Amino acid sequence: MRQSLCSMVLVSITATAQAAHPVDGVWILERIVEETAAPLTPAGAAVQQAYDLLEDDPSLRCEPASMARVWGNPNSRTGIRVAADHVQLEHELFDLRRSIPGEASGRSGETLNLAGTAFATMGKATYRLDGERLIVTSSGLAAGFLRTGTGYPQGEGASATETFWREGDHLLLELVYRDPALFDGEYRILHRLFATGETEVPVYECTDADYDWFEQLNAEATEGEQP
Amino acid sequence: MRILLATLLLAALPVQAHHSTATNFTQEIIEISGTIEQIRFQNPHTSFVVKTEAAPGQAPYWLVESDARSTFQRKGVDLGAVAAGSKVKVSGRKGVRANTLFLRDMVLEDGTVFTSSGTGRD
């Protein structure tokens, strides 16, 4: 059992002295409210057809297959903080950290895990505020999978827009994908999240899904029976 | 059946766990009985290896997967309720991989029922 005390080390998402933005907080997915059908082109359908969920899912290696995959994960927290010069997104899943500069800065932010590994499937992002809405635009996404269950693909060079707004005690997130290579139109997912009331996102310490040891266990047990 | 905290949240949401529970496990509910050989409380999936009395030539070990350690902790589930060496009866969704299932409930010898939402009594 690898239940390390390190899991109790917490990463702070607490706000600075700056007034909190309405989308600030720690959130967990409550449900997906709406999702359009993936408008796959023939090329997109071919990628999906070739997908083997038992082998190809990057989640098995603790890697984010896509932004949709990260936001679609149940029971894991995301911390959001709108700071003066950047937005900080902290996904508990896979310990992903996104420090996103403003559009006017001329810079963009990538997605790293706590070990410092960058994930190109999440692209490079900038943000802007539209009233009380937070809008994060990511471009240059590397190929991945929007849905690791169905194998909906994400094409090289796709872009995504995440729009966040508060509705009472909940946070709504509209995620819109544009993928000129694999989609005929936009792919849109509307998420509803609830506030956990926490101020910190715990360290996740993902362990790779390795089934080899288990299969070996049964192989040895049955081989031992051979006369 | 008197289960205090055994409300299972097998929500029908199109959400995904580490390796997409929705597609790695079927809707078929199966039951196994045996002894817990190993427990891994980890993210993204807690797992239990259960050794069953298998027919000759049949694989005796089952991998029972469940929620993330962090999910158990957030719900305040007592992870000490189950231990290696415990005799258990487990039901859950049959996996796509051989000898795997996703935990619905695990009944221990003393009648304690362990689920992803907590422990109760059978």
Side-chain angles (χ1 to χ4, degrees), chain A residues 7 29-30 54 59 69 72-75 77 147-148 204 207 209 211 218 225, chain B residues 13 15-19 24 43-44 57 59-61 63 65 69 71 74 97:
Chain A
S7 65
L29 178 67
E30 182 177 274
L54 299 185
S59 310
R69 176 66 186 81
N73 199 70
N75 295 313
R77 304 161 176 86
R147 289 282 183 221
T148 50
Y204 194 69
T207 304
Y211 292 88
N218 270 324
E225 295 173 353
Chain B
L13 293 172
V15 294
Q16 308 174 39
H18 178 244
H19 50 38
N24 277 266
N43 289 322
Y61 294 102
L63 186 66
E65 296 194 74
R69 180 191 67 212
T71 302
R74 190 169 58 79
R97 287 183 172 84

PDB file of all heavy atoms in Angstrom, chain A residues 7 29-30 54 59 69 72-75 77 147-148 204 207 209 211 218 225, chain B residues 13 15-19 24 43-44 57 59-61 63 65 69 71 74 97:
ATOM      1  N   SER A   7       0.410  12.724   0.595  1.00  0.00           N
ATOM      2  CA  SER A   7      -0.892  13.107   0.068  1.00  0.00           C
ATOM      3  C   SER A   7      -1.541  14.165   0.932  1.00  0.00           C
ATOM      4  O   SER A   7      -2.485  14.832   0.525  1.00  0.00           O
ATOM      5  CB  SER A   7      -1.800  11.891  -0.035  1.00  0.00           C
ATOM      6  OG  SER A   7      -2.053  11.401   1.261  1.00  0.00           O
ATOM      7  N   LEU A  29     -17.004  18.654 -10.287  1.00  0.00           N
ATOM      8  CA  LEU A  29     -18.055  18.438 -11.283  1.00  0.00           C
ATOM      9  C   LEU A  29     -19.304  17.839 -10.626  1.00  0.00           C
ATOM     10  O   LEU A  29     -19.222  16.824  -9.947  1.00  0.00           O
ATOM     11  CB  LEU A  29     -17.556  17.479 -12.374  1.00  0.00           C
ATOM     12  CG  LEU A  29     -18.572  17.119 -13.460  1.00  0.00           C
ATOM     13  CD1 LEU A  29     -18.920  18.345 -14.307  1.00  0.00           C
ATOM     14  CD2 LEU A  29     -18.031  15.995 -14.342  1.00  0.00           C
ATOM     15  N   GLU A  30     -20.434  18.493 -10.854  1.00  0.00           N
ATOM     16  CA  GLU A  30     -21.712  17.933 -10.391  1.00  0.00           C
ATOM     17  C   GLU A  30     -22.341  17.110 -11.506  1.00  0.00           C
ATOM     18  O   GLU A  30     -22.782  15.992 -11.310  1.00  0.00           O
ATOM     19  CB  GLU A  30     -22.655  19.059  -9.965  1.00  0.00           C
ATOM     20  CG  GLU A  30     -23.980  18.592  -9.423  1.00  0.00           C
ATOM     21  CD  GLU A  30     -24.820  19.773  -8.945  1.00  0.00           C
ATOM     22  OE1 GLU A  30     -24.652  20.186  -7.785  1.00  0.00           O
ATOM     23  OE2 GLU A  30     -25.633  20.278  -9.751  1.00  0.00           O
ATOM     24  N   LEU A  54      -8.413   0.027 -23.954  1.00  0.00           N
ATOM     25  CA  LEU A  54      -7.598  -0.687 -22.971  1.00  0.00           C
ATOM     26  C   LEU A  54      -6.112  -0.384 -23.120  1.00  0.00           C
ATOM     27  O   LEU A  54      -5.318  -0.685 -22.239  1.00  0.00           O
ATOM     28  CB  LEU A  54      -7.832  -2.190 -23.083  1.00  0.00           C
ATOM     29  CG  LEU A  54      -9.259  -2.669 -22.830  1.00  0.00           C
ATOM     30  CD1 LEU A  54      -9.323  -4.192 -22.844  1.00  0.00           C
ATOM     31  CD2 LEU A  54      -9.806  -2.141 -21.514  1.00  0.00           C
ATOM     32  N   SER A  59      -4.859   8.377 -19.867  1.00  0.00           N
ATOM     33  CA  SER A  59      -5.143   8.408 -18.430  1.00  0.00           C
ATOM     34  C   SER A  59      -4.468   7.237 -17.716  1.00  0.00           C
ATOM     35  O   SER A  59      -4.131   7.338 -16.536  1.00  0.00           O
ATOM     36  CB  SER A  59      -6.648   8.325 -18.187  1.00  0.00           C
ATOM     37  OG  SER A  59      -7.340   9.245 -18.967  1.00  0.00           O
ATOM     38  N   ARG A  69     -11.355  15.789 -21.084  1.00  0.00           N
ATOM     39  CA  ARG A  69     -11.109  14.640 -20.206  1.00  0.00           C
ATOM     40  C   ARG A  69     -10.880  15.095 -18.769  1.00  0.00           C
ATOM     41  O   ARG A  69     -11.375  14.479 -17.828  1.00  0.00           O
ATOM     42  CB  ARG A  69      -9.884  13.865 -20.723  1.00  0.00           C
ATOM     43  CG  ARG A  69      -9.474  12.703 -19.850  1.00  0.00           C
ATOM     44  CD  ARG A  69     -10.548  11.628 -19.850  1.00  0.00           C
ATOM     45  NE  ARG A  69     -10.230  10.570 -18.898  1.00  0.00           N
ATOM     46  CZ  ARG A  69     -10.457  10.642 -17.583  1.00  0.00           C
ATOM     47  NH1 ARG A  69     -11.019  11.726 -17.067  1.00  0.00           N
ATOM     48  NH2 ARG A  69     -10.150   9.638 -16.787  1.00  0.00           N
ATOM     49  N   GLY A  72     -14.123  16.512 -17.313  1.00  0.00           N
ATOM     50  CA  GLY A  72     -15.162  15.486 -17.206  1.00  0.00           C
ATOM     51  C   GLY A  72     -14.923  14.490 -16.102  1.00  0.00           C
ATOM     52  O   GLY A  72     -15.722  13.576 -15.896  1.00  0.00           O
ATOM     53  N   ASN A  73     -13.832  14.633 -15.373  1.00  0.00           N
ATOM     54  CA  ASN A  73     -13.516  13.642 -14.342  1.00  0.00           C
ATOM     55  C   ASN A  73     -14.383  13.844 -13.100  1.00  0.00           C
ATOM     56  O   ASN A  73     -14.472  14.954 -12.592  1.00  0.00           O
ATOM     57  CB  ASN A  73     -12.040  13.750 -13.948  1.00  0.00           C
ATOM     58  CG  ASN A  73     -11.562  12.497 -13.258  1.00  0.00           C
ATOM     59  OD1 ASN A  73     -11.428  11.454 -13.900  1.00  0.00           O
ATOM     60  ND2 ASN A  73     -11.328  12.564 -11.959  1.00  0.00           N
ATOM     61  N   PRO A  74     -14.994  12.782 -12.608  1.00  0.00           N
ATOM     62  CA  PRO A  74     -15.814  12.924 -11.410  1.00  0.00           C
ATOM     63  C   PRO A  74     -14.967  12.964 -10.145  1.00  0.00           C
ATOM     64  O   PRO A  74     -13.873  12.406 -10.107  1.00  0.00           O
ATOM     65  CB  PRO A  74     -16.669  11.661 -11.428  1.00  0.00           C
ATOM     66  CG  PRO A  74     -15.810  10.645 -12.114  1.00  0.00           C
ATOM     67  CD  PRO A  74     -15.003  11.413 -13.127  1.00  0.00           C
ATOM     68  N   ASN A  75     -15.473  13.620  -9.157  1.00  0.00           N
ATOM     69  CA  ASN A  75     -14.904  13.550  -7.795  1.00  0.00           C
ATOM     70  C   ASN A  75     -13.511  14.135  -7.626  1.00  0.00           C
ATOM     71  O   ASN A  75     -12.851  13.848  -6.637  1.00  0.00           O
ATOM     72  CB  ASN A  75     -14.880  12.095  -7.293  1.00  0.00           C
ATOM     73  CG  ASN A  75     -16.264  11.532  -7.119  1.00  0.00           C
ATOM     74  OD1 ASN A  75     -17.128  12.171  -6.542  1.00  0.00           O
ATOM     75  ND2 ASN A  75     -16.501  10.345  -7.639  1.00  0.00           N
ATOM     76  N   ARG A  77     -11.119  17.693  -7.601  1.00  0.00           N
ATOM     77  CA  ARG A  77     -11.276  19.133  -7.403  1.00  0.00           C
ATOM     78  C   ARG A  77     -10.518  19.941  -8.459  1.00  0.00           C
ATOM     79  O   ARG A  77      -9.494  19.487  -8.965  1.00  0.00           O
ATOM     80  CB  ARG A  77     -10.719  19.533  -6.040  1.00  0.00           C
ATOM     81  CG  ARG A  77     -11.311  18.811  -4.848  1.00  0.00           C
ATOM     82  CD  ARG A  77     -10.379  18.961  -3.678  1.00  0.00           C
ATOM     83  NE  ARG A  77     -10.847  18.400  -2.426  1.00  0.00           N
ATOM     84  CZ  ARG A  77     -10.673  17.121  -2.070  1.00  0.00           C
ATOM     85  NH1 ARG A  77     -10.090  16.257  -2.869  1.00  0.00           N
ATOM     86  NH2 ARG A  77     -11.106  16.698  -0.889  1.00  0.00           N
ATOM     87  N   ARG A 147     -12.689  12.276 -25.509  1.00  0.00           N
ATOM     88  CA  ARG A 147     -13.412  11.329 -24.680  1.00  0.00           C
ATOM     89  C   ARG A 147     -12.661  10.003 -24.709  1.00  0.00           C
ATOM     90  O   ARG A 147     -12.584   9.357 -25.760  1.00  0.00           O
ATOM     91  CB  ARG A 147     -14.838  11.131 -25.214  1.00  0.00           C
ATOM     92  CG  ARG A 147     -15.733  12.337 -25.007  1.00  0.00           C
ATOM     93  CD  ARG A 147     -16.199  12.365 -23.586  1.00  0.00           C
ATOM     94  NE  ARG A 147     -17.109  13.455 -23.323  1.00  0.00           N
ATOM     95  CZ  ARG A 147     -17.050  14.180 -22.203  1.00  0.00           C
ATOM     96  NH1 ARG A 147     -16.135  13.945 -21.300  1.00  0.00           N
ATOM     97  NH2 ARG A 147     -17.926  15.127 -22.000  1.00  0.00           N
ATOM     98  N   THR A 148     -12.124   9.624 -23.568  1.00  0.00           N
ATOM     99  CA  THR A 148     -11.334   8.399 -23.557  1.00  0.00           C
ATOM    100  C   THR A 148     -12.216   7.161 -23.487  1.00  0.00           C
ATOM    101  O   THR A 148     -11.740   6.051 -23.685  1.00  0.00           O
ATOM    102  CB  THR A 148     -10.342   8.416 -22.389  1.00  0.00           C
ATOM    103  OG1 THR A 148     -11.039   8.761 -21.189  1.00  0.00           O
ATOM    104  CG2 THR A 148      -9.238   9.419 -22.637  1.00  0.00           C
ATOM    105  N   TYR A 204      -2.428  14.819  -5.539  1.00  0.00           N
ATOM    106  CA  TYR A 204      -3.121  13.624  -6.028  1.00  0.00           C
ATOM    107  C   TYR A 204      -2.221  12.392  -6.062  1.00  0.00           C
ATOM    108  O   TYR A 204      -2.643  11.298  -5.726  1.00  0.00           O
ATOM    109  CB  TYR A 204      -3.645  13.930  -7.427  1.00  0.00           C
ATOM    110  CG  TYR A 204      -4.649  12.960  -7.982  1.00  0.00           C
ATOM    111  CD1 TYR A 204      -5.923  12.863  -7.450  1.00  0.00           C
ATOM    112  CD2 TYR A 204      -4.331  12.171  -9.083  1.00  0.00           C
ATOM    113  CE1 TYR A 204      -6.860  11.998  -7.992  1.00  0.00           C
ATOM    114  CE2 TYR A 204      -5.263  11.308  -9.629  1.00  0.00           C
ATOM    115  CZ  TYR A 204      -6.530  11.227  -9.080  1.00  0.00           C
ATOM    116  OH  TYR A 204      -7.445  10.378  -9.631  1.00  0.00           O
ATOM    117  N   THR A 207      -1.064   7.106  -9.671  1.00  0.00           N
ATOM    118  CA  THR A 207      -0.288   5.898  -9.941  1.00  0.00           C
ATOM    119  C   THR A 207      -0.719   5.322 -11.286  1.00  0.00           C
ATOM    120  O   THR A 207      -1.918   5.136 -11.520  1.00  0.00           O
ATOM    121  CB  THR A 207      -0.545   4.846  -8.843  1.00  0.00           C
ATOM    122  OG1 THR A 207      -0.246   5.434  -7.581  1.00  0.00           O
ATOM    123  CG2 THR A 207       0.300   3.605  -9.061  1.00  0.00           C
ATOM    124  N   ALA A 209      -1.870   3.061 -14.225  1.00  0.00           N
ATOM    125  CA  ALA A 209      -2.684   1.845 -14.226  1.00  0.00           C
ATOM    126  C   ALA A 209      -1.906   0.742 -14.927  1.00  0.00           C
ATOM    127  O   ALA A 209      -1.763   0.753 -16.137  1.00  0.00           O
ATOM    128  CB  ALA A 209      -4.001   2.102 -14.940  1.00  0.00           C
ATOM    129  N   TYR A 211      -1.745  -3.253 -15.389  1.00  0.00           N
ATOM    130  CA  TYR A 211      -2.448  -4.509 -15.159  1.00  0.00           C
ATOM    131  C   TYR A 211      -1.540  -5.724 -15.346  1.00  0.00           C
ATOM    132  O   TYR A 211      -1.948  -6.845 -15.100  1.00  0.00           O
ATOM    133  CB  TYR A 211      -3.658  -4.612 -16.094  1.00  0.00           C
ATOM    134  CG  TYR A 211      -4.744  -3.612 -15.752  1.00  0.00           C
ATOM    135  CD1 TYR A 211      -4.745  -2.343 -16.289  1.00  0.00           C
ATOM    136  CD2 TYR A 211      -5.756  -3.946 -14.857  1.00  0.00           C
ATOM    137  CE1 TYR A 211      -5.718  -1.420 -15.960  1.00  0.00           C
ATOM    138  CE2 TYR A 211      -6.738  -3.034 -14.516  1.00  0.00           C
ATOM    139  CZ  TYR A 211      -6.709  -1.774 -15.075  1.00  0.00           C
ATOM    140  OH  TYR A 211      -7.686  -0.863 -14.739  1.00  0.00           O
ATOM    141  N   ASN A 218      -2.288 -14.224 -11.998  1.00  0.00           N
ATOM    142  CA  ASN A 218      -3.171 -15.317 -12.409  1.00  0.00           C
ATOM    143  C   ASN A 218      -2.447 -16.313 -13.305  1.00  0.00           C
ATOM    144  O   ASN A 218      -2.696 -17.520 -13.224  1.00  0.00           O
ATOM    145  CB  ASN A 218      -4.401 -14.757 -13.123  1.00  0.00           C
ATOM    146  CG  ASN A 218      -5.529 -14.467 -12.138  1.00  0.00           C
ATOM    147  OD1 ASN A 218      -5.705 -15.206 -11.163  1.00  0.00           O
ATOM    148  ND2 ASN A 218      -6.278 -13.412 -12.375  1.00  0.00           N
ATOM    149  N   GLU A 225      -0.694 -25.157 -11.629  1.00  0.00           N
ATOM    150  CA  GLU A 225      -1.579 -26.325 -11.565  1.00  0.00           C
ATOM    151  C   GLU A 225      -1.220 -27.378 -12.597  1.00  0.00           C
ATOM    152  O   GLU A 225      -1.712 -28.494 -12.541  1.00  0.00           O
ATOM    153  CB  GLU A 225      -3.024 -25.894 -11.849  1.00  0.00           C
ATOM    154  CG  GLU A 225      -3.600 -24.966 -10.810  1.00  0.00           C
ATOM    155  CD  GLU A 225      -4.958 -24.453 -11.253  1.00  0.00           C
ATOM    156  OE1 GLU A 225      -5.349 -24.735 -12.399  1.00  0.00           O
ATOM    157  OE2 GLU A 225      -5.602 -23.766 -10.459  1.00  0.00           O
TER     158      GLU A 225
ATOM    159  N   LEU B  13     -23.927   9.719 -15.093  1.00  0.00           N
ATOM    160  CA  LEU B  13     -23.375  10.863 -15.791  1.00  0.00           C
ATOM    161  C   LEU B  13     -22.380  10.422 -16.840  1.00  0.00           C
ATOM    162  O   LEU B  13     -21.686   9.435 -16.650  1.00  0.00           O
ATOM    163  CB  LEU B  13     -22.631  11.765 -14.795  1.00  0.00           C
ATOM    164  CG  LEU B  13     -23.465  12.468 -13.741  1.00  0.00           C
ATOM    165  CD1 LEU B  13     -22.543  13.134 -12.747  1.00  0.00           C
ATOM    166  CD2 LEU B  13     -24.354  13.490 -14.393  1.00  0.00           C
ATOM    167  N   VAL B  15     -19.544  11.087 -17.238  1.00  0.00           N
ATOM    168  CA  VAL B  15     -18.252  11.540 -16.732  1.00  0.00           C
ATOM    169  C   VAL B  15     -17.293  10.363 -16.728  1.00  0.00           C
ATOM    170  O   VAL B  15     -17.691   9.226 -16.882  1.00  0.00           O
ATOM    171  CB  VAL B  15     -18.380  12.132 -15.319  1.00  0.00           C
ATOM    172  CG1 VAL B  15     -19.193  13.400 -15.368  1.00  0.00           C
ATOM    173  CG2 VAL B  15     -19.030  11.130 -14.374  1.00  0.00           C
ATOM    174  N   GLN B  16     -16.025  10.672 -16.543  1.00  0.00           N
ATOM    175  CA  GLN B  16     -15.027   9.640 -16.715  1.00  0.00           C
ATOM    176  C   GLN B  16     -14.096   9.598 -15.530  1.00  0.00           C
ATOM    177  O   GLN B  16     -13.696  10.616 -15.021  1.00  0.00           O
ATOM    178  CB  GLN B  16     -14.198   9.944 -17.964  1.00  0.00           C
ATOM    179  CG  GLN B  16     -15.057  10.182 -19.186  1.00  0.00           C
ATOM    180  CD  GLN B  16     -14.238  10.619 -20.356  1.00  0.00           C
ATOM    181  OE1 GLN B  16     -13.145  10.136 -20.568  1.00  0.00           O
ATOM    182  NE2 GLN B  16     -14.756  11.541 -21.122  1.00  0.00           N
ATOM    183  N   ALA B  17     -13.759   8.396 -15.114  1.00  0.00           N
ATOM    184  CA  ALA B  17     -12.752   8.239 -14.083  1.00  0.00           C
ATOM    185  C   ALA B  17     -11.417   7.999 -14.768  1.00  0.00           C
ATOM    186  O   ALA B  17     -11.287   8.174 -15.968  1.00  0.00           O
ATOM    187  CB  ALA B  17     -13.120   7.109 -13.149  1.00  0.00           C
ATOM    188  N   HIS B  18     -10.443   7.564 -14.024  1.00  0.00           N
ATOM    189  CA  HIS B  18      -9.083   7.371 -14.537  1.00  0.00           C
ATOM    190  C   HIS B  18      -9.073   6.695 -15.894  1.00  0.00           C
ATOM    191  O   HIS B  18      -8.522   7.184 -16.852  1.00  0.00           O
ATOM    192  CB  HIS B  18      -8.341   6.513 -13.514  1.00  0.00           C
ATOM    193  CG  HIS B  18      -6.940   6.172 -13.877  1.00  0.00           C
ATOM    194  ND1 HIS B  18      -6.546   4.887 -14.099  1.00  0.00           N
ATOM    195  CD2 HIS B  18      -5.845   6.927 -14.030  1.00  0.00           C
ATOM    196  CE1 HIS B  18      -5.250   4.871 -14.352  1.00  0.00           C
ATOM    197  NE2 HIS B  18      -4.805   6.095 -14.319  1.00  0.00           N
ATOM    198  N   HIS B  19      -9.694   5.548 -15.964  1.00  0.00           N
ATOM    199  CA  HIS B  19      -9.713   4.828 -17.230  1.00  0.00           C
ATOM    200  C   HIS B  19     -11.145   4.620 -17.671  1.00  0.00           C
ATOM    201  O   HIS B  19     -11.497   3.567 -18.160  1.00  0.00           O
ATOM    202  CB  HIS B  19      -8.969   3.509 -17.112  1.00  0.00           C
ATOM    203  CG  HIS B  19      -9.397   2.685 -15.930  1.00  0.00           C
ATOM    204  ND1 HIS B  19     -10.691   2.618 -15.523  1.00  0.00           N
ATOM    205  CD2 HIS B  19      -8.695   1.913 -15.087  1.00  0.00           C
ATOM    206  CE1 HIS B  19     -10.782   1.817 -14.480  1.00  0.00           C
ATOM    207  NE2 HIS B  19      -9.580   1.388 -14.183  1.00  0.00           N
ATOM    208  N   ASN B  24     -14.877   0.702 -19.281  1.00  0.00           N
ATOM    209  CA  ASN B  24     -14.022  -0.410 -18.870  1.00  0.00           C
ATOM    210  C   ASN B  24     -14.790  -1.459 -18.072  1.00  0.00           C
ATOM    211  O   ASN B  24     -14.266  -2.547 -17.824  1.00  0.00           O
ATOM    212  CB  ASN B  24     -12.838   0.095 -18.041  1.00  0.00           C
ATOM    213  CG  ASN B  24     -11.706   0.589 -18.916  1.00  0.00           C
ATOM    214  OD1 ASN B  24     -10.784  -0.149 -19.232  1.00  0.00           O
ATOM    215  ND2 ASN B  24     -11.795   1.846 -19.344  1.00  0.00           N
ATOM    216  N   ASN B  43      -4.578   6.776  -5.874  1.00  0.00           N
ATOM    217  CA  ASN B  43      -5.264   7.491  -6.947  1.00  0.00           C
ATOM    218  C   ASN B  43      -4.722   7.011  -8.285  1.00  0.00           C
ATOM    219  O   ASN B  43      -3.528   6.756  -8.385  1.00  0.00           O
ATOM    220  CB  ASN B  43      -5.023   8.999  -6.814  1.00  0.00           C
ATOM    221  CG  ASN B  43      -5.750   9.586  -5.627  1.00  0.00           C
ATOM    222  OD1 ASN B  43      -6.856   9.186  -5.335  1.00  0.00           O
ATOM    223  ND2 ASN B  43      -5.120  10.533  -4.950  1.00  0.00           N
ATOM    224  N   PRO B  44      -5.533   6.892  -9.276  1.00  0.00           N
ATOM    225  CA  PRO B  44      -6.937   7.291  -9.314  1.00  0.00           C
ATOM    226  C   PRO B  44      -7.909   6.186  -8.925  1.00  0.00           C
ATOM    227  O   PRO B  44      -9.122   6.449  -8.875  1.00  0.00           O
ATOM    228  CB  PRO B  44      -7.135   7.663 -10.781  1.00  0.00           C
ATOM    229  CG  PRO B  44      -6.216   6.758 -11.491  1.00  0.00           C
ATOM    230  CD  PRO B  44      -5.023   6.562 -10.602  1.00  0.00           C
ATOM    231  N   GLY B  57      -7.674 -24.799 -13.526  1.00  0.00           N
ATOM    232  CA  GLY B  57      -7.464 -24.129 -14.814  1.00  0.00           C
ATOM    233  C   GLY B  57      -8.044 -22.729 -14.876  1.00  0.00           C
ATOM    234  O   GLY B  57      -7.786 -21.996 -15.830  1.00  0.00           O
ATOM    235  N   ALA B  59      -8.538 -18.846 -13.438  1.00  0.00           N
ATOM    236  CA  ALA B  59      -7.741 -17.856 -12.705  1.00  0.00           C
ATOM    237  C   ALA B  59      -8.395 -17.553 -11.354  1.00  0.00           C
ATOM    238  O   ALA B  59      -9.579 -17.193 -11.317  1.00  0.00           O
ATOM    239  CB  ALA B  59      -7.626 -16.584 -13.529  1.00  0.00           C
ATOM    240  N   PRO B  60      -7.651 -17.683 -10.266  1.00  0.00           N
ATOM    241  CA  PRO B  60      -8.272 -17.507  -8.936  1.00  0.00           C
ATOM    242  C   PRO B  60      -8.342 -16.059  -8.453  1.00  0.00           C
ATOM    243  O   PRO B  60      -9.130 -15.745  -7.563  1.00  0.00           O
ATOM    244  CB  PRO B  60      -7.349 -18.310  -8.026  1.00  0.00           C
ATOM    245  CG  PRO B  60      -6.004 -18.221  -8.677  1.00  0.00           C
ATOM    246  CD  PRO B  60      -6.261 -18.183 -10.158  1.00  0.00           C
ATOM    247  N   TYR B  61      -7.498 -15.181  -9.016  1.00  0.00           N
ATOM    248  CA  TYR B  61      -7.425 -13.823  -8.483  1.00  0.00           C
ATOM    249  C   TYR B  61      -8.351 -12.867  -9.236  1.00  0.00           C
ATOM    250  O   TYR B  61      -8.436 -12.905 -10.460  1.00  0.00           O
ATOM    251  CB  TYR B  61      -5.995 -13.286  -8.568  1.00  0.00           C
ATOM    252  CG  TYR B  61      -5.023 -14.027  -7.683  1.00  0.00           C
ATOM    253  CD1 TYR B  61      -4.150 -14.974  -8.209  1.00  0.00           C
ATOM    254  CD2 TYR B  61      -4.987 -13.790  -6.318  1.00  0.00           C
ATOM    255  CE1 TYR B  61      -3.259 -15.670  -7.404  1.00  0.00           C
ATOM    256  CE2 TYR B  61      -4.093 -14.476  -5.496  1.00  0.00           C
ATOM    257  CZ  TYR B  61      -3.242 -15.409  -6.043  1.00  0.00           C
ATOM    258  OH  TYR B  61      -2.372 -16.099  -5.237  1.00  0.00           O
ATOM    259  N   LEU B  63      -9.351  -8.661  -9.525  1.00  0.00           N
ATOM    260  CA  LEU B  63      -8.961  -7.292  -9.197  1.00  0.00           C
ATOM    261  C   LEU B  63     -10.250  -6.469  -9.069  1.00  0.00           C
ATOM    262  O   LEU B  63     -10.965  -6.271 -10.050  1.00  0.00           O
ATOM    263  CB  LEU B  63      -8.059  -6.710 -10.287  1.00  0.00           C
ATOM    264  CG  LEU B  63      -7.462  -5.338  -9.981  1.00  0.00           C
ATOM    265  CD1 LEU B  63      -6.488  -5.414  -8.800  1.00  0.00           C
ATOM    266  CD2 LEU B  63      -6.749  -4.770 -11.203  1.00  0.00           C
ATOM    267  N   GLU B  65     -11.790  -2.976  -8.461  1.00  0.00           N
ATOM    268  CA  GLU B  65     -11.418  -1.561  -8.479  1.00  0.00           C
ATOM    269  C   GLU B  65     -12.536  -0.707  -7.903  1.00  0.00           C
ATOM    270  O   GLU B  65     -13.710  -1.079  -7.954  1.00  0.00           O
ATOM    271  CB  GLU B  65     -11.092  -1.119  -9.907  1.00  0.00           C
ATOM    272  CG  GLU B  65      -9.862  -1.842 -10.464  1.00  0.00           C
ATOM    273  CD  GLU B  65      -9.326  -1.179 -11.711  1.00  0.00           C
ATOM    274  OE1 GLU B  65      -8.714  -0.114 -11.590  1.00  0.00           O
ATOM    275  OE2 GLU B  65      -9.529  -1.731 -12.803  1.00  0.00           O
ATOM    276  N   ARG B  69      -8.495   7.125  -3.915  1.00  0.00           N
ATOM    277  CA  ARG B  69      -8.217   7.329  -2.484  1.00  0.00           C
ATOM    278  C   ARG B  69      -8.722   8.696  -2.025  1.00  0.00           C
ATOM    279  O   ARG B  69      -9.323   8.835  -0.964  1.00  0.00           O
ATOM    280  CB  ARG B  69      -6.703   7.235  -2.243  1.00  0.00           C
ATOM    281  CG  ARG B  69      -6.299   7.422  -0.780  1.00  0.00           C
ATOM    282  CD  ARG B  69      -4.799   7.591  -0.661  1.00  0.00           C
ATOM    283  NE  ARG B  69      -4.356   8.843  -1.272  1.00  0.00           N
ATOM    284  CZ  ARG B  69      -3.187   9.025  -1.856  1.00  0.00           C
ATOM    285  NH1 ARG B  69      -2.326   8.035  -1.918  1.00  0.00           N
ATOM    286  NH2 ARG B  69      -2.863  10.189  -2.373  1.00  0.00           N
ATOM    287  N   THR B  71     -11.124  10.434  -3.155  1.00  0.00           N
ATOM    288  CA  THR B  71     -12.592  10.467  -3.061  1.00  0.00           C
ATOM    289  C   THR B  71     -13.046   9.832  -1.754  1.00  0.00           C
ATOM    290  O   THR B  71     -13.920  10.355  -1.054  1.00  0.00           O
ATOM    291  CB  THR B  71     -13.221   9.734  -4.261  1.00  0.00           C
ATOM    292  OG1 THR B  71     -12.761  10.355  -5.456  1.00  0.00           O
ATOM    293  CG2 THR B  71     -14.731   9.783  -4.210  1.00  0.00           C
ATOM    294  N   ARG B  74     -12.314  12.315   0.960  1.00  0.00           N
ATOM    295  CA  ARG B  74     -13.221  13.472   0.967  1.00  0.00           C
ATOM    296  C   ARG B  74     -14.574  13.097   1.558  1.00  0.00           C
ATOM    297  O   ARG B  74     -15.220  13.893   2.232  1.00  0.00           O
ATOM    298  CB  ARG B  74     -13.390  14.012  -0.458  1.00  0.00           C
ATOM    299  CG  ARG B  74     -14.122  15.340  -0.537  1.00  0.00           C
ATOM    300  CD  ARG B  74     -14.035  15.945  -1.916  1.00  0.00           C
ATOM    301  NE  ARG B  74     -14.558  15.081  -2.953  1.00  0.00           N
ATOM    302  CZ  ARG B  74     -15.856  14.921  -3.230  1.00  0.00           C
ATOM    303  NH1 ARG B  74     -16.768  15.573  -2.550  1.00  0.00           N
ATOM    304  NH2 ARG B  74     -16.260  14.114  -4.193  1.00  0.00           N
ATOM    305  N   ARG B  97     -11.696  -6.162 -18.921  1.00  0.00           N
ATOM    306  CA  ARG B  97     -10.513  -7.009 -18.700  1.00  0.00           C
ATOM    307  C   ARG B  97     -10.922  -8.233 -17.892  1.00  0.00           C
ATOM    308  O   ARG B  97     -11.790  -8.144 -17.021  1.00  0.00           O
ATOM    309  CB  ARG B  97      -9.430  -6.248 -17.932  1.00  0.00           C
ATOM    310  CG  ARG B  97      -8.717  -5.197 -18.733  1.00  0.00           C
ATOM    311  CD  ARG B  97      -7.615  -4.555 -17.913  1.00  0.00           C
ATOM    312  NE  ARG B  97      -6.804  -3.666 -18.720  1.00  0.00           N
ATOM    313  CZ  ARG B  97      -7.105  -2.405 -18.993  1.00  0.00           C
ATOM    314  NH1 ARG B  97      -8.213  -1.870 -18.493  1.00  0.00           N
ATOM    315  NH2 ARG B  97      -6.326  -1.671 -19.741  1.00  0.00           N
TER     316      ARG B  97
END
